[in-house]
Amino acid sequence: MGKIIKPFPTAFSEGGLGGTALWLQRAVSPGKNVPPKERKSKLSSFRIDRISEEVRHAIDAIIRDMNDPRICGTYAVTRADVTRDLRWCKVYVSVLEDDKADEMIKALKKAAGYIRHELGLRVDLRYTPELLFERDRNIAYGVHIAQVLKEVAPREEDKEDGAEE
C-alpha cells in the first residue's frame, strides 16, 4: 500500500486556488512509482519485440519460399532485431553446414531487396525495414559444446569405476 500524504497548504492557499498539493498524492500512489517516460519505453520495447518476432517469422517463410539454389541445407532464422524507428532490421541466420554458410549469407544479402519487398506485402508496418543479414553461430556453438560434454562424460565414468575397485 502506498504512503498517504496529507495535503498541506501552499503559497497559493491564500490566493484561493485550492492550496493542496494533489499532484503529490497522485505521484506517490501505489503501482505508479515509475515515471511516465520509463513506463512508455517498457511498453514500446514490448511492441518492438512483438514486431521483431513477426518479422522473423515472415522472413523465415519468405526464405523458404525462394527458389535460389545457393540457399540450401539446414538453416534457421534465429532472431530479427528491428530498430525502434522501424527503419532497420538485423536478421541472424544460423547455418549448420560451415561450407555452405558463407555462400548462403552472400545470397541472402544479394536478395535483401526482394525479401524486403515480400516482407512489405506480408507484414503491415508503417515502414518496411532495410534488412541486414548476419551469420549466427550460436546453434553451431551449442552442438560443439554438446560434443565436448559427450566426450568428457565417459572419462568421468571411467575415473569413478577405477576409484571403486
Side-chain angles (χ1 to χ4, degrees):
M1 187 175 249
K3 296 179 182 178
I4 298 176
I5 299 175
K6 295 180 181 177
F8 56 90
T10 64
F12 298 109
S13 62
E14 291 84 24
L17 297 175
T20 57
L22 293 177
W23 61 270
L24 191 56
Q25 286 180 334
R26 290 187 193 126
V28 188
S29 63
K32 296 182 181 177
N33 293 335
V34 180
K37 285 186 179 180
E38 290 181 25
R39 270 188 266 136
K40 185 178 179 184
S41 67
K42 278 188 175 184
L43 292 176
S44 66
S45 70
F46 178 69
R47 178 177 174 263
I48 294 298
D49 291 343
R50 286 187 320 188
I51 291 171
S52 295
E53 190 63 23
E54 185 68 27
V55 166
R56 185 189 71 80
H57 281 292
I59 289 175
D60 189 30
I62 292 167
I63 292 173
R64 298 216 183 266
D65 292 344
M66 288 174 57
N67 293 327
D68 193 338
R70 299 173 295 177
I71 300 174
C72 60
T74 307
Y75 64 91
V77 178
T78 56
R79 193 172 77 214
D81 291 335
V82 179
T83 58
R84 294 182 78 185
D85 62 354
L86 303 177
R87 298 292 184 165
W88 295 92
C89 177
K90 189 178 277 192
V91 182
Y92 294 92
V93 179
S94 178
V95 183
L96 199 55
E97 296 90 4
D98 285 332
D99 55 332
K100 297 178 183 178
D102 293 332
E103 185 177 338
M104 184 172 169
I105 296 297
K106 284 180 186 176
L108 288 173
K109 287 180 180 179
K110 292 262 185 191
Y114 170 75
I115 296 171
R116 181 178 184 226
H117 173 74
E118 287 293 317
L119 180 66
L121 296 176
R122 295 184 188 201
V123 179
D124 187 26
L125 293 172
R126 178 174 291 163
Y127 305 108
T128 305
E130 291 285 332
L131 302 175
L132 303 170
F133 288 96
E134 294 285 327
R135 183 172 176 203
D136 189 9
R137 301 176 193 271
N138 288 338
I139 293 177
Y141 182 71
V143 170
H144 170 71
I145 294 296
Q147 289 174 347
V148 169
L149 290 175
K150 284 181 183 178
E151 291 174 6
V152 171
R155 292 180 192 166
E156 289 180 1
E157 290 176 4
D158 293 339
K159 287 180 184 180
E160 289 175 5
D161 292 338
E164 292 176 5
E165 294 176 7

